[in-house]
Amino acid sequence: MKKHNFSAGPCILPQEVMQKAASAVIELDDIGLSLIEISHRSKEFVDIMEQARSLALELLGLKDKGYQALFLHGGASMEFLMVAYNFLEKKAGYLNTGTWSDKAIKEARLFGEVVEVASSKDKNYNFIPKDYKIPGDLDYLHITSNNTIYGTQFKEIPKTDLPLICDMSSDIFSRQLDFSQFDLIYAGAQKNMGPAGVTLVVVKEDALGKVSRKIPSMMDYKVHIDKDSMFNTPPVFPVYTSMLTLQWLKDLGGIAAIKEVNEKKAQLLYSEIDLNPLFKGFAAKEDRSNMNATFTLADEKLKDTFDAMWKEAGINGLNGHRSVGGYRASMYNALSLESVGVLVDIMSDLERKA
Ligand SMILES: *Cc1c(COP(=O)(O)O)cnc(C)c1O
């Protein structure tokens, strides 16, 4: 039996996507060759790349709006420096809402001045800062829409006239936003879209070309756009699998449809966390993430019992990140409402037993 996968990464995908991807590794669409052995310049793969790029823009509502979608190597971590390479001329602003923001800031500092516009670091990142003033003289403002480790999520995207750049690795395609408020969005595939090894970058074309430094080709978004996201050999398997997931999402009714399911899942789990006296939520209530729910046991003595119970029920990946402790239930798009139901039943069973 397939386990209920609450793991934070990499990666949970729809079963039908997994099956189709697996079979394409043996043979792609009856062409007598594997997906991973055909040329990336073949018509078959060029079509796959085009479809992946087009589906990404379509699902985000950014088609024909001056945006380009790229599938690049290096993970979201590579974007920490590519963003600065391409956008930081003098001074950039970052909201520091977690480990990933912190890492993005560290990389950006190699390229210019970085202002931490606001930070929740002194409270172990358990909330999203709200009252702060954004300086007007920044090249861009960078935010992390969902903080995977701490389980917080921006419910309101900051309003600014500055170019807005967002690390959306762990909540892209999970909820509706006006995506045209961003000049650049990036997301490692492995949380909500595909296997590790590819990163989606969605960039507004006319936001580029504003820095004076020379940019190495591999780091230059313009080069990747000019080469249709095939400047060098793309990671063909992660791109293909991401394309299948995006197609799956489109067939389901797009972001509007999955958002409903994601809200139901989050509501189900958070109401159990709030009503069950044995559990405590980690993140501030108003900032709770619909993707990663962080919580702890009120009484650590119950740990062994609870751990045995959820493992017995076929749940995987519930342990919290070491910097938070306790538990983290990641509820990405491909995790079903039924799986969350299984977890919630275990939590209330524990209350009955204790
Ligand atoms: C997982 C994650 C990353 C790191 O992604 P890599 O692809 O491993 O570099 C960055 N930001 C956020 C928000 C993440 O969840």
Side-chain angles (χ1 to χ4, degrees), residues 215-234:
I215 305 175
S217 309
M218 268 299 275
M219 294 288 108
D220 190 342
Y221 292 121
K222 277 192 151 170
V223 169
H224 291 288
I225 291 170
D226 289 345
K227 298 291 180 186
D228 297 323
S229 201
M230 296 235 239
F231 172 70
N232 68 327
T233 316

Side-chain angles (χ1 to χ4, degrees), residues 15-210:
Q15 196 58 20
E16 61 188 86
V17 166
M18 216 66 106
Q19 259 146 8
K20 220 171 162 201
S23 99
V25 171
I26 308 298
E27 185 183 354
L28 177 69
D29 299 337
D30 301 318
I31 64 168
L33 289 165
S34 160
L35 163 73
I36 60 176
E37 65 184 348
I38 57 171
S39 164
H40 60 288
R41 308 277 175 209
S42 65
K43 175 164 182 345
E44 284 85 1
F45 190 77
V46 170
D47 285 353
I48 288 166
M49 178 60 98
E50 275 318 296
Q51 217 177 324
R53 298 176 71 201
S54 158
L55 278 165
L57 292 181
E58 187 185 336
L59 286 163
L60 297 172
L62 293 176
K63 215 156 184 174
D64 305 318
K65 294 207 171 138
Y67 285 81
Q68 292 277 350
L70 302 169
F71 284 88
L72 305 180
H73 296 268
S77 301
M78 182 74 96
E79 298 314 307
F80 296 163
L81 66 114
M82 265 179 93
V83 159
Y85 237 130
N86 286 265
F87 288 89
L88 208 175
E89 180 74 9
K90 275 210 176 76
K91 188 157 57 153
Y94 281 66
L95 295 183
N96 189 351
T97 55
T99 305
W100 297 117
S101 314
D102 213 39
K103 290 188 175 177
I105 290 168
K106 178 167 175 265
E107 298 305 302
R109 289 210 158 114
L110 300 171
F111 297 87
E113 189 185 342
V114 172
V115 184
E116 261 188 45
V117 174
S119 170
S120 48
K121 197 171 189 171
D122 62 344
K123 291 237 169 95
N124 200 18
Y125 297 118
N126 72 352
F127 73 105
I128 299 285
K130 287 168 199 82
D131 297 316
Y132 49 84
K133 204 170 166 317
I134 304 169
D137 61 344
L138 304 173
D139 297 323
Y140 60 87
L141 180 70
H142 179 285
I143 68 166
T144 311
S145 55
N146 185 71
N147 299 282
T148 326
I149 294 174
Y150 306 91
T152 62
Q153 186 175 35
F154 279 84
K155 301 297 164 178
E156 303 264 343
I157 303 298
K159 298 260 173 299
T160 175
D161 294 330
L162 297 166
L164 187 58
I165 294 182
C166 186
D167 176 357
M168 234 178 251
S169 293
S170 51
D171 69 350
I172 194 161
F173 302 120
S174 74
R175 60 168 173 168
Q176 265 177 324
L177 292 172
D178 172 10
F179 294 98
S180 72
Q181 67 193 299
F182 302 99
D183 289 70
L184 185 141
I185 296 166
Y186 62 92
Q190 70 273 18
K191 310 280 164 54
N192 237 346
M193 187 168 51
V198 76
T199 314
L200 172 65
V201 173
V202 173
V203 57
K204 197 191 233 172
E205 254 186 295
D206 70 12
L208 293 170
K210 309 247 161 90

